[in-house]
């Protein structure tokens, strides 16, 4: 062996990766980097506007807290009232409504838990999978770029940390041999699955990972025991969820309709979205394949290498399929790079200096988070796309709460929050079954059928749509009259519709910002 390889950097054997790899950080300093990355994300999020699905999630949770009951049927929108509705995010809705009682700081705390849980989970997973300590900091920092789309007030902000810790639990369970820690990990995994299932349909990933780990176990007895554990978890999820076994069907058979990708950008492929996301995927594929090739030279077709390759490939395919799966890419990066042996030349930075610089940076960012910690009402500012003041305008012209309106899909949640009845909102899984509402909207939005005809078939006489969008242009060309607008939205009235209604006050007053 040459002089440059005089000290072995890694010892591999069979299915285990026992490494003595070089590190630029001493033990424990990775958690300083966790604090640094968490603070870095939160500094950029403290002014995040409430928008999108968070509005209807909160609206549903607010109703459920007020009535002390879960919504088992649809009570919102201008049609489909009373139809059965399986809400796969019921716990998240309750969480938003309950946290709203604590003001904006409580809602921001939800983001804090998600961000810190995600970064800490990545650190624990990298330690468990024996990723080289020098690489852990690099992977942790790069994960912020790939997970940037997860930090919004939707259940994905907690579903992603659940996924990280779920993968850690299920792989740790496979590694242990002693009965006592095995039972604790098994109970922890089942508990996480039950809680995750109440937050988001992505809990099905825990089952998928369980199948992967179980199939690669060395004996059929352990495979049988593993399979029984997965069945127990599925049974407990079915029992614990309000809809029972039908809830299990939601993530399995209630897959996204082909029309969803046409109206929801998060379900489109990153390769068709923009250059930056495409480059992230290309870098993921090239670097991961290189790391796995290096690992294969040392271990061959070991079970560990096969598992890591499956995870890397699976997360890569998911990220290529839709933008919403990009936050899972760091898990694939960890899987691929856990098989790589770094050269000794990487250890160029003194560990104590690295730890000191990291500690100073993390402390400064945490101080910044404390300074900008939000205070006051929960809605610091509403997204510019939402028609703030629309209810006041409608009320002044004779249209009170509960008025049905046609709308752009992105505005549906906010309109429900302020008490109107929109034609469609972000619950795509429900609208797919309601008279093909989603299909009609998607076909009209993409120009396959007449937009004006779709609106006329709804029987609605008011429309709140994006101001400079195709819906507004089509309706104005059909002589719908714009009567009120914000920088990004416009209210249009159908031909022959009274505006204002007879006897209504025409004083518009000051647009009202609805606060929780």
């Amino acid at each position: 062996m040459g002089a440059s390889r005089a000290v072995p950097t890694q010892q591999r054997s069979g299915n285990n990766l026992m490494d003595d790899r070089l590190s630029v950080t001493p033990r424990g300093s990775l958690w300083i980097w966790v604090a640094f990355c968490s603070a870095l994300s939160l500094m950029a999020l403290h002014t995040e506007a409430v928008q999108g699905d968070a509005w209807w999630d909160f609206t549903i949770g607010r109703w459920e807290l007020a009535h002390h009951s879960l919504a088992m049927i649809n009570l919102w929108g201008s049609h489909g009232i009373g139809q059965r509705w399986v809400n796969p995010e019921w716990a998240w809705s309750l969480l938003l409504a309950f946290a709203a009682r604590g003001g904006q700081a409580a809602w921001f705390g939800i983001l804090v838990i998600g961000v810190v849980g995600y970064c800490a989970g990545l650190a624990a997973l990298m330690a468990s999978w024996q990723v080289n300590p020098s690489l852990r900091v690099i992977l942790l920092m790069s994960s912020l770029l790939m997970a940037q789309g997860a930090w919004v007030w939707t259940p994905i902000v907690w579903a992603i940390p659940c996924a990280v810790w779920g993968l850690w639990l299920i792989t740790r369970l496979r590694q242990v041999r002693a009965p006592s820690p095995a039972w604790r990990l098994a109970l922890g995994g089942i508990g996480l699955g039950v809680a995750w299932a109440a937050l988001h349909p992505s809990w099905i990933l825990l089952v998928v990972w369980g199948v992967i780990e179980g199939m690669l176990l060395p004996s059929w007895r352990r495979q049988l025991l593993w399979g029984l554990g997965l069945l127990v978890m599925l049974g407990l999820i079915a029992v614990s969820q309000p809809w029972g076994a039908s809830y299990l069907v939601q993530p399995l058979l209630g897959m996204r309709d082909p029309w969803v990708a046409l109206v929801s950008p998060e379900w489109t492929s990153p390769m068709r979205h923009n250059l930056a996301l495409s480059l992230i995927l290309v870098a993921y594929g090239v670097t991961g394949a290189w790391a796995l090739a290096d690992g294969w030279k040392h271990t061959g077709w070991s079970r560990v290498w096969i598992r890591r390759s499956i995870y890397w490939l699976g997360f890569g395919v998911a990220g290529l399929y839709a933008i919403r799966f990009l936050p899972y890419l760091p898990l694939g990066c960890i899987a691929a790079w856990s098989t790589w042996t770094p050269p000794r030349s990487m250890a160029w930075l003194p560990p104590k200096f690295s730890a000191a610089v990291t500690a100073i940076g993390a402390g400064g960012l945490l101080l910044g988070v404390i300074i900008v910690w939000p205070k006051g009402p929960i809605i610091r500012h509403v997204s510019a796309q939402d028609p703030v003041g629309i209810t006041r305008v409608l009320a002044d012209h004779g249209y009170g709460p509960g008025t049905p309106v046609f709308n752009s899909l992105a505005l549906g949640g906010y309109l429900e929050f302020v008490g109107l009845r929109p034609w469609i909102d972000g619950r795509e899984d429900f609208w797919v079954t309601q008279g093909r509402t989603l299909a009609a909207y998607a076909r009209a939005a993409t120009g396959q059928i007449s937009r004006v005809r779709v609106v006329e078939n709804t029987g609605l006489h008011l429309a709140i749509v994006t101001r400079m969008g195709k819906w507004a242009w089509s309706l104005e060309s059909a002589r719908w009259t714009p009567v009120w607008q914000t920088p990004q939205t416009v209210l249009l009235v159908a031909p022959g519709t009274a505006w204002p209604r007879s006897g209504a006050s025409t004083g518009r007053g000051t647009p009202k910002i609805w606060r929780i």
Side-chain angles (χ1 to χ4, degrees), residues 44-52 54-55 104 107 111 151-154 378-386:
L45 291 172
H46 77 281
T47 57
E48 181 73 17
V50 182
Q51 59 180 323
W55 289 119
Q104 187 176 356
W107 257 32
L111 290 183
W151 312 132
V152 291
W153 277 289
T154 64
I378 183 130
I379 305 177
R380 193 171 195 171
H381 61 277
V382 182
S383 170
Q385 75 169 5
D386 293 321

Side-chain angles (χ1 to χ4, degrees), residues 101-429:
R101 297 180 175 181
Q104 187 176 356
W107 257 32
F108 188 67
I110 293 176
L111 290 183
V112 172
I113 294 173
V115 172
V116 175
Y118 177 77
C119 293
L122 289 179
L125 187 64
M126 286 187 285
S128 176
W129 284 10
Q130 300 177 339
V131 176
N132 173 261
S134 300
L135 284 173
R136 295 177 192 177
V137 173
I138 299 173
L139 292 176
L140 191 60
M141 292 295 292
S142 62
S143 70
L144 299 183
L145 181 63
M146 291 179 274
Q148 61 181 337
W151 312 132
V152 291
W153 277 289
T154 64
I156 198 71
V157 75
W158 278 22
I160 296 297
C162 284
V164 177
W165 284 104
L167 187 58
W168 177 85
L169 273 169
I170 208 161
T171 52
R172 284 290 296 161
L173 180 60
R174 177 189 51 79
Q175 293 170 354
V176 298
R177 295 293 184 268
S180 179
W183 279 109
R184 289 198 300 268
L185 288 169
L187 291 176
I190 291 174
L192 177 65
V194 172
W196 187 0
L199 289 170
H200 196 258
S202 58
W203 64 267
I204 198 65
L205 288 174
L206 199 59
V207 178
V208 174
W209 297 334
V211 172
I212 294 173
E213 295 290 338
M215 290 178 62
L216 294 173
L217 288 173
S219 67
W220 68 268
R221 290 184 179 86
R222 293 195 65 190
Q223 290 177 349
L224 178 61
L225 187 62
W226 194 274
L228 290 175
L230 290 178
L231 291 177
V232 169
M233 184 183 70
L234 287 173
L236 288 176
I237 290 175
V239 171
S240 63
Q241 302 305 313
W243 295 269
S246 63
Y247 180 86
L248 301 179
V249 179
Q250 186 77 8
L252 294 173
L253 301 181
M255 302 303 290
R256 297 288 168 174
D257 191 272
W259 298 109
V260 174
L262 296 178
V263 297
S264 182
E266 67 178 5
W267 283 100
T268 58
S269 173
M271 303 300 288
R272 298 190 304 171
H273 195 69
N274 60 47
L275 179 61
L277 297 181
S278 301
L279 291 177
I280 288 176
L281 273 176
V282 171
Y284 174 89
V286 172
T287 58
W290 185 84
L292 286 169
D294 177 81
W296 182 80
K297 294 177 182 178
H298 293 83
T299 64
W301 299 95
S302 66
R303 286 192 176 91
V304 169
W305 187 88
I306 293 174
R307 285 189 185 95
R308 306 293 163 82
S309 300
I310 291 174
Y311 285 127
W312 172 79
L313 182 61
F315 289 123
V317 171
L320 183 63
Y321 174 72
I323 293 173
R324 71 171 301 146
F325 296 123
L326 286 179
Y328 294 100
L329 289 185
L331 300 180
C333 291
I334 294 173
W337 286 94
S338 64
T339 66
W340 180 64
T341 304
R344 189 174 180 80
S345 58
M346 283 191 63
W348 58 273
L349 189 63
K352 291 183 179 179
F353 177 79
S354 173
V357 172
T358 306
I360 293 172
L365 279 174
L366 288 175
L367 180 62
V369 171
I370 295 174
I371 294 174
V372 302
W373 187 269
K375 304 175 181 64
I378 183 130
I379 305 177
R380 193 171 195 171
H381 61 277
V382 182
S383 170
Q385 75 169 5
D386 293 321
V388 176
I390 185 64
T391 52
R392 178 65 177 270
V393 172
L394 291 173
D396 287 347
H397 291 79
Y399 297 90
T403 299
V405 295
F406 183 85
N407 62 287
S408 299
L409 187 145
L411 305 179
Y414 180 80
L415 296 177
E416 287 174 341
F417 166 70
V418 296
L420 301 179
R421 291 193 174 274
W423 187 68
I424 193 170
D425 56 34
R427 297 174 294 162
E428 292 99 340
D429 55 339

Side-chain angles (χ1 to χ4, degrees), residues 22-41:
L22 298 171
S23 174
V24 298
T25 56
R27 183 181 298 273
S29 65
L30 180 64
W31 297 102
I32 302 177
W33 277 97
V34 169
F36 179 87
C37 292
S38 300
L40 188 64
S41 297

